Amino acid sequence: SQTIHQWPATLVQPVGSPLSLECTVEGTSNPNLYWYRQAAGRGLQLLFYSIGIDQISSEVPQNLSASRPQDRQFILSSKKLLLSDSGFYLCAWSNAQGVAGTEAFFGQGTRLTVV
Amino acid sequence: KQEVTQIPAALSVPEGENLVLNCSFTDSAIYNLQWFRQDPGKGLTSLLLIQSSQREQTSGRLNASLDKSSGRSTLYIAASQPGDSATYLCAPRVRAYKYIFGTGTRLKVLA
């Protein structure tokens, strides 16, 4: 069966420090991968999605970047964190593009607090 | 641009009640629609997936309906229990890779 791992679960970082959040999926190949952010009291906002290695699209301009060095690994990064980057970050996967009827599955999230 | 609205925003009910959670979306050109549950501080758990060609889907005490042409989906929870307390999110899939989320219905079931 497929599983998704996301870490760390909680992170407190100072303003201006770098960030690296990692997500890996097991039990499937060539998944679509996603990074979402959930700010306090707001809905989930799609940040990045990827349909393959080194194929990443950004949905909103921001201080963050994403990379997919391996088929089932998705990394969210920042060179210098801002206070506004605080939030709950969720990684998700679904079956590849073209298989339109499949579900999305989410990791357990990373609570990031920038201080 | 797809917009998703969930009503009510919050709901507090005694145990045992049958519940109706509503989701509306502005663009009916969707691939499917998924309902999720989110416990405080946790990730999302998939509850039900309804394909765009389906009218409803059932899992245990949960039943979700979809009226794509009118841009509406409803989640029914039968015989609610305190363990059902969570935030419920609906997410239509608007492209092969993109889901748009509503802001959720925060449910509290009282023992």
Side-chain angles (χ1 to χ4, degrees):
Chain A
S1 64
Q2 302 92 351
T3 56
I4 180 168
H5 302 281
Q6 191 180 339
W7 69 92
T10 306
L11 194 58
V12 180
Q13 292 284 95
V15 169
S17 63
L19 173 73
S20 180
L21 303 181
E22 190 162 343
C23 172
T24 59
V25 180
E26 296 177 356
T28 188
S29 60
N30 194 31
N32 288 337
L33 295 172
Y34 311 83
W35 278 111
Y36 282 86
R37 177 170 60 199
Q38 188 175 38
R42 300 178 65 178
L44 275 81
Q45 180 185 36
L46 178 63
L47 302 176
F48 300 94
Y49 66 89
S50 171
I51 62 172
I53 294 175
D54 295 331
Q55 295 178 279
I56 297 165
S57 296
S58 172
E59 284 291 304
V60 293
Q62 58 211 320
N63 185 41
L64 303 167
S65 62
S67 61
R68 185 171 176 174
Q70 300 180 42
D71 180 46
R72 291 169 290 175
Q73 184 184 28
F74 206 23
I75 298 172
L76 183 69
S77 303
S78 174
K79 292 181 179 178
K80 289 185 179 181
L81 283 169
L82 305 172
L83 287 173
S84 58
D85 292 323
S86 294
F88 192 50
Y89 289 82
L90 289 154
C91 179
W93 75 274
S94 68
N95 274 325
Q97 186 175 1
V99 188
T102 57
E103 289 179 86
F105 298 94
F106 281 76
Q108 286 301 298
T110 296
R111 173 74 57 192
L112 171 66
T113 304
V114 182
V115 296
Chain B
K1 178 185 172 185
Q2 178 75 274
E3 293 184 1
V4 181
T5 303
Q6 290 188 246
I7 295 173
L11 188 59
S12 183
V13 299
E15 182 177 8
E17 284 204 2
N18 298 326
L19 306 176
V20 178
L21 308 183
N22 296 294
C23 170
S24 62
F25 46 95
T26 54
D27 186 348
S28 62
I30 63 171
Y31 283 81
N32 59 39
L33 185 143
Q34 210 166 337
W35 281 93
F36 294 89
R37 167 188 173 135
Q38 186 177 29
D39 294 287
K42 302 293 185 183
L44 276 64
T45 300
S46 178
L47 297 174
L48 289 165
L49 170 70
I50 311 179
Q51 306 293 351
S52 61
S53 58
Q54 294 180 316
R55 299 283 294 184
E56 67 178 80
Q57 192 69 252
T58 298
S59 176
R61 294 183 293 108
L62 304 179
N63 175 277
S65 67
L66 176 64
D67 184 344
K68 199 176 97 166
S69 61
S70 65
R72 287 186 294 191
S73 179
T74 302
L75 180 67
Y76 301 91
I77 304 176
S80 58
Q81 303 170 357
D84 295 330
S85 299
T87 296
Y88 290 81
L89 299 161
C90 75
R93 188 172 184 178
V94 300
R95 295 198 289 268
Y97 50 77
K98 188 168 183 177
Y99 304 80
I100 302 293
F101 282 83
T103 52
T105 293
R106 193 168 60 254
L107 172 64
K108 187 169 185 178
V109 181
L110 305 170

